[in-house]
Amino acid sequence: MEVSVETLAHGTKVCISRAHRFGTDAMLLSGFARPRRAETAVDLCSGCGIVALRWHDLGHRGPCRAVEVDPEGTSLLEQALAEDAALAHITPVCADLNELRGDGLAHLVAANPPYFTGGFVSPKSARATARHEGGCTLEQVAAAAAALLRDGGRFALCHRADQFARVCAVLSAAGLEPKRAAFAKQKAGDVPWLVLVEAQKNRRPGLRFEPDVFMEDEGGRPSAQLQKIYREGM
């Protein structure tokens, strides 16, 4: 496995491979909903551990489990942890999220789950697992999050914008009531390509829409809004 290193805004190193990289969706998710400094957190569908590492980069120091089914992804996170003692509060967990024990302790759970239910499936196992629902459906992700969260705890995920209605329905059915949402668009006037949703366990309905997030400004450059999110979160 060929490994390279990316450095986040405040110096945290992320080990990546061809199979386990991270994109804008993970950066937006980890900025949209992040734990307070000492809260207990879980990063589901963790890949190389990007959400857990980004939370650290933004100031989180509480217990954090990063759950990934692919041993290669977990190995990448373990390499990052071995290089930085400050990351000791992050625990890599190589496991199927369907087999996790729900302890009801987490303040925040986040997931960047597989988005696709049909179409072309990559012959590469790691890529197929990351992109297509198989043994990791949206319903299974929501159930795992609900079991891990304390009453009133938050669950955040990103998904395709055209799946927003389904996301809300699945979360509500799992006892996770959608409370915040934001759409990401390439630029003003475009249709959204991503939705970010934060839900709370066992709370009443009431959804607030956050301002849209634009990837580009009018000149086609990374927007000031996006650059701020990369530095500070939302």
Side-chain angles (χ1 to χ4, degrees), residues 131-224:
R131 291 175 58 82
H132 279 79
E133 290 190 15
C136 181
T137 66
L138 182 58
E139 288 79 4
Q140 289 168 328
V141 172
L148 290 164
L149 285 167
R150 62 181 60 202
D151 189 60
R154 298 169 289 146
F155 174 51
L157 81 163
C158 54
H159 214 287
R160 289 165 44 196
D162 63 5
Q163 294 296 302
F164 179 55
R166 178 191 172 214
V167 167
C168 289
V170 169
L171 294 181
S172 292
L176 302 168
E177 196 58 43
K179 305 298 282 186
R180 297 171 58 223
F183 290 100
K185 302 178 178 181
Q186 196 62 29
K187 57 182 182 298
D190 285 358
V191 297
W193 62 276
L194 186 80
V195 66
L196 301 155
V197 181
E198 181 183 278
Q200 279 189 285
K201 183 177 178 178
N202 297 332
R203 290 298 180 264
R204 294 179 179 178
L207 176 61
R208 181 178 80 248
F209 285 93
E210 305 285 348
D212 291 342
V213 179
F214 300 110
M215 304 295 101
E216 298 177 0
D217 61 21
E218 294 178 355
R221 298 174 295 271
S223 70

Side-chain angles (χ1 to χ4, degrees), residues 93-152:
V93 179
C94 186
D96 187 322
L97 60 78
N98 298 302
E99 299 172 358
L100 290 178
R101 286 189 61 184
D103 52 19
L105 297 176
H107 296 89
L108 175 64
V109 175
N112 183 0
Y115 293 162
F116 300 99
T117 57
F120 172 76
V121 178
S122 174
K124 297 179 179 178
S125 175
R127 184 168 177 79
T129 299
R131 291 175 58 82
H132 279 79
E133 290 190 15
C136 181
T137 66
L138 182 58
E139 288 79 4
Q140 289 168 328
V141 172
L148 290 164
L149 285 167
R150 62 181 60 202
D151 189 60

